[in-house]
Amino acid sequence: MTVQLKPKKKPTIKKASGMKPTIFWRIAEDIPQALSWTMMGFSIIIPLCCWFIFANYSGIDATFLPSPSSVGNALIKLWEKGFLTQDIAASFTRVTIGFLLSILVAIPLGIIMGSFASIRALFEPIIGIVRYMPAPAFIPLLIIYLGIDEAPKIALIFIGTVFFNILMIMDAVKFIPKDLIETTYTLGGSRWQVLVQVITPYIVPSIIDTFRINMAASWNLVVVSELLAASEGLGRRILLAQKFLKTDEIFACLIVLGLIGFALDLSFRLLLRFTCKWAFD
């Protein structure tokens, strides 16, 4: 007696209602370039329109909410007087020096901490504690130790970024596939070759992303330092405008800071795309 088994039917998966795939709501998928540019345009145009409406039709005094046109005029005046170029140059120099010093410390220490558990156990606890101390809280000590010239401003940027850079680079190293390291040893590679020729190139995209993210902290800190003691800089310009209730100049400086940040962010993205093309394959 033979028993015939009926083939099992494949389960049918019903699509949930209201979850039809669309270009706009696709998860983890790119959208068309035209749509991307359109959405980026809206992200700028809509806030500007809201600003224009509130400044002109809400009855708020111009002292507290200047119109876009008055802010534009203030921006032009600051540029014509030469204040804007001097302030940008001063702030940019401080950020560049402080952040470069942070990079020089963070890259080797972060790689070593991520590679060797012994070094990580030695440094991670103290770095984890110090990074939770607000960098502006060090300002009184920096003024006592370094005076009121450029040194404390640069040191503040260094303190406010170096620990985050170290830990983020360390985490990037920890996520390298162990198979890759073991294969290098199997092929006769030395410990030094693993560090220089395997680990370091592998985490270059993560390093660039780390610097792109933490660069914002540098600009926040340089403005804070210039609010306290500086003869020039965007933070100093904001403080002077506040004393004389020139809110249009405050808005102008904030817009300049935003544009500088956007330009730096775009520069890091382009650097990542041109130097690490393999990471986008």
Side-chain angles (χ1 to χ4, degrees):
M1 180 178 179
T2 59
V3 179
Q4 293 182 349
L5 298 175
K6 294 182 180 180
K8 294 182 179 180
K9 293 182 179 180
K10 294 182 178 180
T12 57
I13 300 175
K14 296 182 180 180
K15 293 183 179 179
S17 59
M19 295 295 289
K20 295 180 180 179
T22 62
I23 294 176
F24 194 90
W25 296 110
R26 288 186 297 187
I27 297 177
E29 295 288 341
D30 291 330
I31 61 176
Q33 195 70 21
L35 178 59
S36 178
W37 283 106
T38 301
M39 300 306 297
M40 287 190 287
F42 281 146
S43 71
I44 297 175
I45 293 172
I46 292 175
L48 283 176
C49 290
C50 293
W51 179 14
F52 177 82
I53 292 170
F54 274 100
N56 290 281
Y57 302 106
S58 65
I60 300 176
D61 193 289
T63 303
F64 301 102
L65 183 62
S67 64
S69 59
S70 63
V71 172
N73 291 332
L75 193 60
I76 293 172
K77 290 179 181 178
L78 289 173
W79 179 269
E80 291 177 345
K81 293 178 180 179
F83 294 147
L84 203 57
T85 53
Q86 293 175 3
D87 293 333
I88 292 174
S91 297
F92 195 85
T93 301
R94 292 163 185 151
V95 169
T96 302
I97 297 174
F99 201 74
L100 281 177
L101 292 174
S102 170
I103 288 174
L104 292 175
V105 174
I107 291 178
L109 187 55
I111 292 175
I112 293 173
M113 287 176 62
S115 302
F116 302 103
S118 55
I119 303 299
R120 183 163 62 250
L122 178 63
F123 285 100
E124 189 175 13
I126 186 62
I127 291 177
I129 293 172
V130 176
R131 77 184 177 100
Y132 277 102
M133 299 178 184
F138 287 89
I139 291 177
L141 291 175
L142 293 176
I143 292 176
I144 292 172
Y145 297 151
L146 303 175
I148 58 173
D149 293 327
E150 295 300 308
K153 302 175 184 61
I154 294 171
L156 180 65
I157 295 168
F158 175 82
I159 292 172
T161 57
V162 66
F163 302 112
F164 292 96
N165 285 338
I166 290 172
L167 294 179
M168 291 177 72
I169 293 173
M170 178 194 72
D171 284 337
V173 175
K174 287 163 57 178
F175 286 105
I176 292 178
K178 290 186 178 180
D179 294 341
L180 191 62
I181 298 174
E182 292 173 357
T183 301
T184 305
Y185 281 130
T186 303
L187 295 174
S190 63
R191 186 182 291 110
W192 177 254
Q193 287 176 315
V194 171
L195 286 172
V196 176
Q197 299 181 15
V198 177
I199 292 177
T200 301
Y202 189 92
I203 65 168
V204 166
S206 298
I207 290 175
I208 295 176
D209 258 342
T210 295
F211 296 156
R212 180 178 65 85
I213 294 170
N214 292 333
M215 177 61 76
S218 297
W219 282 93
N220 292 334
L221 292 170
V222 76
V223 170
V224 170
S225 67
E226 291 170 351
L227 289 173
L228 297 175
S231 58
E232 55 186 5
L234 290 170
R236 176 64 175 174
R237 187 62 47 194
I238 290 173
L239 182 62
L240 290 175
Q242 180 263 332
K243 287 183 177 180
F244 298 100
L245 287 178
K246 295 182 178 180
T247 51
D248 53 352
E249 291 188 3
I250 296 176
F251 272 75
C253 291
L254 291 175
I255 290 173
V256 170
L257 286 167
L259 292 175
I260 291 173
F262 179 77
L264 289 171
D265 189 83
L266 184 61
S267 299
F268 277 111
R269 289 177 184 271
L270 292 174
L271 177 64
L272 179 61
R273 189 163 290 274
F274 283 117
T275 58
C276 305
K277 293 182 180 180
W278 50 271
F280 297 91
D281 295 335

